[in-house]
């Protein structure tokens, strides 16, 4: 039987939730192989493939971030079941919309959101979190703009890419997506 491709292992890992998780080292190696292949032959993707809600399942930090934060992520970490982090993408046009990041530690929920735009063929998603909402159960503790979020939101489309946060997606499948962030870390999300 031929060896399975890294991309196939990643997809199968999260389509069959009863299968045992890949060891972290194997998952990172597969992500790096898929990312390298995408650099040489970028897949033709568009913003429509991101629309909907995705649950963060695995994340790595950069060496620099790990040194600043202590050993929070180590070399990569599956997210524990008691924390739920999701990203939701909503479209405004073919390549622009809103990105909503929800972090739930029941009963506390933190939501940051803001504008985003997708650039093909680089599979680059530029974003800015400009709004914050904090709830405790049904009680809203805070809801409004972050700092000068209103101004940043109004000027979002004119700002240079290098001065904004971004993800470079190298895997966009029906149920699994993966990207490298501006800071160098890797992240993998699945459809819940």
């Amino acid at each position: 039987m031929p060896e399975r491709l890294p991309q196939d292992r990643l997809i199968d890992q999260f389509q069959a939730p009863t299968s045992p998780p890949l060891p972290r080292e194997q998952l990172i190696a597969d992500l790096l192989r898929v990312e390298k292949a995408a650099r040489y032959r970028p897949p033709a993707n568009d913003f429509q493939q991101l629309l909907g809600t995705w649950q963060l399942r695995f994340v790595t930090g950069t060496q620099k971030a790990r040194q600043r934060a202590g050993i929070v992520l180590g070399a990569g970490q599956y997210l524990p079941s008691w924390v739920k982090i999701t990203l939701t993408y909503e479209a405004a046009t073919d390549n622009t919309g809103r990105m909503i990041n929800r972090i739930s530690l029941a009963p506390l929920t933190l939501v940051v959101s803001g504008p985003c735009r997708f650039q093909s063929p680089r599979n680059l998603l530029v974003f800015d979190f400009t709004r914050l909402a904090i709830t405790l159960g049904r009680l809203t503790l805070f809801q409004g703009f972050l700092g000068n979020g209103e101004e940043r939101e109004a000027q979002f489309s004119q700002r240079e890419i290098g001065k904004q946060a971004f993800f470079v997606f190298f895997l966009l499948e029906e149920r699994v997506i993966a990207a490298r962030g501006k800071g160098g870390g890797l992240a993998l999300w699945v459809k819940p």
Side-chain angles (χ1 to χ4, degrees):
M1 179 180 238
E3 184 181 343
R4 304 200 53 237
L5 296 172
Q7 184 166 328
D8 295 333
R9 268 195 304 268
L10 290 171
I11 293 166
D12 290 349
Q13 168 74 38
F14 297 102
Q15 283 185 343
T18 57
S19 63
L22 288 172
R24 287 183 306 183
E25 298 78 15
Q26 179 68 57
L27 181 59
I28 291 169
D30 285 351
L31 286 169
L32 293 173
R33 284 187 197 106
V34 172
E35 180 185 35
K36 185 176 180 180
R39 272 192 222 130
Y40 294 109
R41 215 173 92 211
N45 298 118
D46 62 45
F47 186 52
Q48 302 303 311
Q49 290 174 272
L50 285 176
L51 299 183
T53 299
W54 301 88
Q55 184 171 350
L56 184 63
R57 293 293 294 276
F58 187 83
V59 65
T60 70
T62 62
Q63 192 73 12
K64 186 177 178 181
R66 287 197 308 264
Q67 288 170 353
R68 270 197 316 257
I71 307 173
V72 175
L73 298 175
Q77 186 69 45
Y78 284 97
L79 266 65
S81 59
W82 50 269
V83 64
K84 186 175 180 183
I85 301 174
T86 60
L87 278 179
T88 301
Y89 297 100
E90 299 173 344
T93 67
D94 285 347
N95 66 345
T96 65
R98 290 199 69 73
M99 182 172 163
I100 303 158
N101 190 10
R102 181 180 313 275
I103 303 165
S104 297
L105 299 165
L108 184 67
T109 301
L110 172 78
V111 178
V112 289
S113 63
C116 65
R117 75 176 174 271
F118 189 81
Q119 296 184 342
S120 284
R122 295 172 56 199
N123 296 327
L124 179 77
L125 181 90
V126 180
F127 62 93
D128 188 2
F129 291 129
T130 56
R131 299 172 188 246
L132 170 67
I134 303 170
T135 58
L136 184 61
R138 294 181 184 200
L139 178 65
T140 300
L141 302 176
F142 177 83
Q143 186 168 351
F145 284 103
L146 281 166
N148 62 348
E150 190 171 12
E151 180 184 325
R152 289 194 335 263
E153 197 167 294
Q155 298 173 353
F156 177 73
S157 60
Q158 288 83 39
R159 290 180 47 216
E160 296 175 36
I161 290 173
K163 294 184 179 183
Q164 297 185 55
F166 62 80
F167 290 130
V168 178
F169 286 91
F170 55 87
L171 178 65
L172 280 124
E173 294 291 331
E174 186 177 334
R175 299 213 18 96
V176 180
I177 59 175
R180 183 174 293 277
K182 179 179 181 176
L186 299 171
L188 182 139
W189 298 265
V190 298
K191 282 278 186 184

